[in-house]
Amino acid sequence: SNVSVRSAPGPNKGDHGEISSPPTYFPTNSFTEQFQSIVDTYGIATYKEINPGLFTIVTFPFLFGVMYGDIGHGGFMALMGGYLVANGAKHEEMIRKGKLGELLSGMHEARYVLFFMGLFGFYCGSIYNDLFSVPLSIFSTRWDNKGYWQGSPGGGDDQYPYGVDPSWYGTTNQLQFMNSLKMKLSVILGVTQMTFGIALGALNHIYEGDYLGLIFEWVPRMLFMCCTFGYMIGIIIYKWCVNWENRNVAPPSLIQTMIKMFLAPGIVEEENELYDGQAEVQLYLILIAIASVPIMLFAKPLIKHFCCHGGRGGGRNSSNDGYGEFGVHGGATELKSVVTSTNEKTGLVGNSSSNTNRGYGSLDDHKQQHGSTSSHHDDGDDDD
């Protein structure tokens, strides 16, 4: 397969000139290259960090499907991507001969991304029951023409078996229902993805031996996420699971609940209460979230400044950050081998010690040439 290299800008130098963070090496092929490019537009992981490009292969096209879920649109994109994948070798040959246009060349490079985006768009469109904005009545609706619940055709009380009931389309509250469903699903998936990214950060801290950062950076960060956005996901799911017809109050607005949680902590009106003890729980969550911010920002720098070798304590991207002497020099050796291999393939440098004086030459060759020239001029002066 086609292999390319992703690398961060050059190595970082420490206080004494040593390499503290070698460049990053990411081997990619025709399948993973475009997904890695998406990650690289936001930033390249440092040496030995977890590469999020692996998870982007699933998360990026899936979130695209959540946003643009449509059976027709997703199916067309999947067919187009499948065609590009099936004819990949043919298009590669046309690109080498310069016979493929710029537009098709770009689509060829992103063929796997387009194919996966189409598949997930088709899947999410089937959940939304949306074919070019037209619902499909694959199963019998559970509502009558007047909007009353009638259950399954057999007389049962089961729900619509798959996706959204087509009767929701064309109703007066269609926009309210669909926007609420898609917005809450998007919030849940987005916060879950962010929490997963923070969890990967913990693995980086543990691998590098940066327990100071794990305790005073990662833990406050996770607490802040769970006490704010995590709590919002919890009350969304809780509100879905409660049968509000059995209660004497209307279901409270979650947007108003979150706003009042910050503006009026510890105060919840009885008619807007989701569960018993909600005011106390929200007050504690706000206090934990507020306390985690200064700890996350100032604890580790202050500890390193006052306690760890005069401000040069161990940690990520420092000379004692867990890479070790073998890790740094091993990374440099690996980078050297990659550069040597690249030069050999391009023909810029020979592949044996006997060819060291070929190609562009060396500094010693340059000195020898100038040295011989100088001695020649000296001989000429003596003759004169």
Side-chain angles (χ1 to χ4, degrees), residues 309-384:
H309 308 288
R312 292 197 299 270
R316 301 177 65 180
N317 298 331
S318 66
S319 58
N320 298 322
D321 57 1
Y323 294 134
E325 183 178 358
F326 177 79
V328 173
H329 293 291
T333 303
E334 181 182 3
L335 177 64
K336 183 178 179 181
S337 65
V338 172
V339 174
T340 303
S341 176
T342 304
N343 289 335
E344 291 175 358
K345 293 179 179 180
T346 56
L348 297 178
V349 178
N351 56 0
S352 65
S353 58
S354 61
N355 295 328
T356 55
N357 292 329
R358 299 179 182 178
Y360 291 109
S362 63
L363 182 61
D364 294 334
D365 298 336
H366 182 72
K367 290 181 178 179
Q368 291 177 3
Q369 294 174 0
H370 282 270
S372 60
T373 304
S374 300
S375 61
H376 175 72
H377 285 298
D378 292 339
D379 293 339
D381 293 337
D382 292 339
D383 292 338
D384 290 335

Side-chain angles (χ1 to χ4, degrees), residues 250-302:
S253 172
L254 297 183
I255 297 178
Q256 294 296 325
T257 299
M258 293 301 300
I259 293 176
K260 292 181 180 179
M261 174 180 173
F262 290 92
L263 297 182
I267 301 175
V268 178
E269 295 82 0
E270 184 177 357
E271 62 273 11
N272 294 327
E273 195 173 58
L274 281 168
Y275 56 89
D276 296 334
Q278 179 181 349
E280 291 79 8
V281 171
Q282 293 183 169
L283 178 61
Y284 293 140
L285 293 177
I286 287 295
L287 292 177
I288 294 174
I290 294 176
S292 64
V293 173
I295 297 175
M296 178 173 55
L297 296 177
F298 303 113
K300 181 181 176 181
L302 292 176

